[in-house]
């Protein structure tokens, strides 16, 4: 009698760092390409089930109920998954790969309504900030408030991403902290303005995959197949970010312009499957915070973190795990390998510019001629973080040079030291969140 093997995968299609471990696998049918069909699996019948969630905790609940074998989630939910499973004393999971990361922590961010006069954390004192409690954005918020000496001075309200985004748009909350891509979704829609980037908290952010240990022990070749498919999904995104952003937008409803900001060269997400020592260190830091704030169980990291499956998948795919393990992508201010600015035109696609000033001039010309522009992109002058042109505080120098900043104070300080003035992306100012 043929054995029926069910492969249940819980994922989050709306979270950009997870797409290579979920929605891309499903829509491109990648897992089927790698499933074993000989030896012990000669008569196997496979059933692959994808279930989409808004956050990680429901995925862990379904895994504990035996309804899912794999879970794709962010760093904080990954820890809760591992700790809660270990605490049962009967079942465990294994953390087996990473789907996407940002070394500095960008992707997490704190946003205020676009019309707010708040431009810093200190100005939130006595106000309310909402966030999905237990998420990486929540952890970032706690650390940021402590580092700023604001612990206990700002009320934290538990809100899911869709609720928080709606409340920012309706000006019903003072600020909202969330994980990627929600801060950028609010910026793109013109409803929110970022006042704090996750990179300022100094803790990396990433997403990855856990698997039920009992399933992995019984079907290691199937686990390897899922990871080979994940590696192909990452490559599919890297080789053509415009195609990937456009296709993923159709599948998920997230704006392609936001997805491109994450997935393009120099963008917020780095697609790398290796489990780097830095990730384990970050997870240990996050676990200590979760134990302090939410009293979660202990977690034996030596047992839980298992890179043997992804190493096997790399070898089977003809890839060099050691090389990727050593490679770390970190944003660089004024990176000479990246063009300073881009415009995504509806008819021409992505056009790169040698300066921010050239991009501003091209955008204004397109605007005056009625040429459709999907979005513009620049890099923060100090950090090298990629961002929407309309969300940047643009400082125009007396010689015509334009410098982009994520923070208003940075732009004003640069103008104080170098002369010039702050300008909007469009001559009318209509497209600039920074000028509102």
């Amino acid at each position: 009698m043929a054995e029926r093997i069910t492969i249940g995968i819980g994922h989050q299609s709306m979270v950009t760092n997870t797409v290579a471990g979920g929605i891309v696998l499903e829509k491109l049918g990648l897992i089927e390409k790698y499933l074993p069909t000989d030896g012990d699996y000669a008569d196997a019948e496979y059933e692959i089930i994808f279930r989409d969630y808004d956050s990680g905790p429901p995925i862990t609940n379904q895994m504990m109920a035996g309804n899912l074998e794999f879970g794709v989630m962010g760093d904080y939910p990954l820890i809760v998954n591992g700790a809660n499973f270990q605490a049962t004393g009967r079942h465990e999971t294994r953390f087996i790969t990473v789907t996407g990361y940002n070394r500095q922590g960008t992707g997490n961010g704190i946003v205020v309504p676009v019309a707010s006069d708040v431009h810093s954390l200190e100005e939130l004192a006595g106000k309310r900030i909402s966030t999905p409690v237990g998420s990486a954005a929540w952890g970032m918020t706690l650390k940021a408030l402590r580092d700023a000496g604001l612990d206990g001075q700002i009320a934290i309200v538990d809100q899911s991403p869709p609720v928080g985004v709606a409340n920012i748009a309706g000006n019903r909350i003072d600020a909202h902290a969330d994980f990627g891509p929600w801060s950028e979704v609010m910026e793109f829609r013109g409803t929110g303005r970022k006042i704090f980037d996750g990179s300022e908290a100094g803790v990396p952010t990433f997403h990855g995959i856990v698997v039920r240990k009992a399933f992995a022990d019984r079907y290691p070749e199937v686990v390897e197949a899922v990871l080979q498919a994940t590696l192909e999904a990452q490559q599919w995104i890297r080789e053509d970010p415009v195609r990937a952003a456009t296709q993923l937008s159709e599948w998920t409803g997230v704006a392609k312009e936001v997805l491109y900001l994450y997935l393009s060269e120099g963008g917020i997400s780095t697609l790398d499957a290796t489990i780097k020592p830095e990730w384990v260190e970050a997870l240990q830091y996050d676990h200590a915070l979760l134990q302090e704030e939410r009293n979660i169980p202990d977690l034996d990291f030596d047992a839980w973190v298992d890179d043997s499956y992804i190493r096997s998948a790399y070898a089977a795919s003809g890839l060099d795990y050691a090389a990727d393990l050593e490679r770390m992508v970190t944003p660089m201010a004024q990176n000479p390998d990246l063009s300073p600015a881009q415009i995504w035109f509806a008819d021409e696609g992505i056009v790169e510019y040698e300066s921010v000033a050239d991009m501003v001039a091209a955008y204004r010309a397109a605007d005056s001629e009625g040429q459709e522009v999907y979005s513009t992109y620049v890099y923060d002058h100090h950090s090298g973080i990629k961002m929407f042109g309309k969300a940047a505080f643009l400082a125009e120098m007396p010689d015509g040079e334009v410098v982009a900043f994520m923070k208003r104070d940075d732009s004003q300080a640069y103008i104080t030291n170098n002369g010039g003035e702050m300008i909007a992306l469009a001559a009318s100012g209509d497209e600039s969140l920074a000028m509102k």
Side-chain angles (χ1 to χ4, degrees):
M1 183 176 177
E3 181 180 15
R4 187 172 186 82
I5 301 175
T6 300
I7 305 169
I9 299 176
H11 66 105
Q12 302 170 74
S13 67
M14 297 290 287
V15 181
T16 315
N17 268 345
T18 70
V19 295
I23 192 72
V24 176
L25 304 183
E26 178 183 8
K27 296 299 185 180
L28 299 185
L30 297 183
I31 294 175
E32 291 86 340
K33 294 172 56 176
Y34 298 101
L35 289 171
T37 57
D38 57 4
D40 293 340
Y41 299 93
D43 297 321
E45 294 181 359
Y46 295 104
E47 180 184 21
I48 304 175
I49 301 171
F50 289 91
R51 291 180 179 159
D52 198 356
Y53 297 87
D54 290 335
S55 61
I59 299 175
T60 290
N61 293 339
Q62 290 299 308
M63 290 180 73
M64 295 194 81
N67 296 327
L68 295 171
E69 285 66 52
F70 296 85
V72 192
M73 58 190 82
D75 36 21
Y76 277 75
L78 284 169
I79 293 165
V80 174
N81 178 285
N84 284 352
F85 264 93
Q86 277 190 11
T88 68
R90 295 175 289 107
H91 304 289
E92 294 186 15
T93 57
R94 292 293 180 259
F95 174 40
I96 57 172
T97 197
V98 170
T99 52
Y101 75 84
N102 183 280
R103 173 66 180 86
Q104 304 300 88
T106 298
N108 296 319
I110 300 176
V111 171
V112 297
V114 70
S116 170
D117 58 2
V118 170
H119 286 268
S120 68
L121 288 180
E122 289 73 17
E123 293 173 76
L124 284 176
K127 300 180 184 293
R128 297 184 308 150
I129 182 170
S130 64
T131 188
V133 171
S135 70
W138 167 79
M140 171 208 68
T141 301
L142 291 181
K143 186 175 188 302
L145 296 183
R146 290 175 181 178
D147 290 349
L150 294 169
D151 196 15
Q153 298 184 43
I154 299 173
I156 296 179
V157 181
D158 186 10
Q159 286 183 343
S160 68
V163 173
V165 169
N167 284 339
I168 286 290
N171 203 29
R172 293 187 293 271
I173 192 75
D174 298 306
H176 179 69
D178 223 322
F179 44 82
W182 292 105
S183 294
E184 292 72 27
V185 166
M186 288 181 274
E187 287 181 326
F188 181 71
R189 292 177 179 174
T191 59
R193 173 171 44 79
K194 189 185 294 186
I195 64 165
F196 186 89
D197 184 78
S199 61
E200 298 175 71
V203 180
T205 188
F206 53 91
H207 292 69
I209 301 177
V210 285
V211 63
R212 288 195 297 116
K213 180 179 181 295
F215 182 88
D217 289 345
R218 185 171 180 181
Y219 304 114
E221 295 85 0
V222 174
V223 175
E224 182 180 309
V226 171
L227 296 187
Q228 282 186 267
T230 299
L231 290 172
E232 183 176 342
Q234 290 178 328
Q235 178 57 30
W236 179 80
I237 294 169
R238 283 193 299 263
E239 66 188 13
D240 191 341
V242 170
R243 175 194 64 188
T246 303
Q247 191 69 75
L248 280 162
S249 180
E250 294 176 5
W251 294 337
T252 66
V254 178
K256 61 183 180 299
E257 296 86 350
V258 173
L259 291 163
Y260 183 79
L261 175 60
Y262 270 78
L263 303 175
S264 58
E265 184 179 14
I268 294 172
S269 290
T270 297
L271 304 180
D272 179 333
T274 62
I275 302 177
K276 303 181 191 299
E278 290 87 349
W279 305 158
V280 179
E281 292 173 9
L283 288 167
Q284 290 169 335
Y285 170 87
D286 297 343
H287 178 260
L289 181 62
L290 283 164
Q291 283 205 307
E292 178 183 348
E293 294 289 337
R294 306 202 72 187
N295 197 31
I296 72 165
D298 293 338
L299 178 57
D300 181 351
F301 281 87
D302 290 337
W304 180 59
V305 179
D306 186 351
D307 66 359
S308 64
Y309 298 100
I310 189 59
R311 285 180 180 272
S312 294
Y314 258 78
S317 301
L319 301 173
D320 189 339
Y321 187 87
D324 279 1
L325 186 65
E326 291 296 319
R327 186 180 299 114
M328 179 71 81
V329 174
T330 303
M332 177 193 306
Q334 297 109 63
N335 189 335
D337 295 329
L338 299 171
S339 61
Q342 297 173 314
I343 297 179
W344 188 353
F345 290 100
D347 53 359
E348 298 179 60
I350 299 292
V351 177
E352 300 186 339
Y353 295 89
E354 294 184 0
S355 71
V356 179
D358 288 346
M359 183 276 286
V360 171
Y363 177 84
R364 290 179 174 180
D367 190 37
S368 66
E369 296 168 6
Q371 184 178 8
E372 185 178 3
V373 170
Y374 288 146
S375 189
T376 58
Y377 304 94
V378 295
Y379 297 89
D380 175 60
H381 183 72
H382 289 325
S383 67
I385 294 170
K386 195 168 190 174
M387 58 188 299
F388 289 121
K390 72 175 184 178
F393 292 88
L394 301 175
E396 184 176 44
M397 301 295 97
D399 64 0
E401 177 191 12
V402 177
V403 185
F405 294 93
M406 182 179 294
K407 295 291 191 67
R408 182 192 64 175
D409 289 350
D410 291 340
S411 181
Q412 290 177 334
Y414 196 85
I415 290 170
T416 298
N417 292 331
N418 298 280
E421 62 179 348
M422 197 179 301
I423 63 169
L425 177 59
S428 65
D430 291 343
E431 281 298 309
S432 178
L433 302 183
M435 303 300 287
K436 295 183 179 181

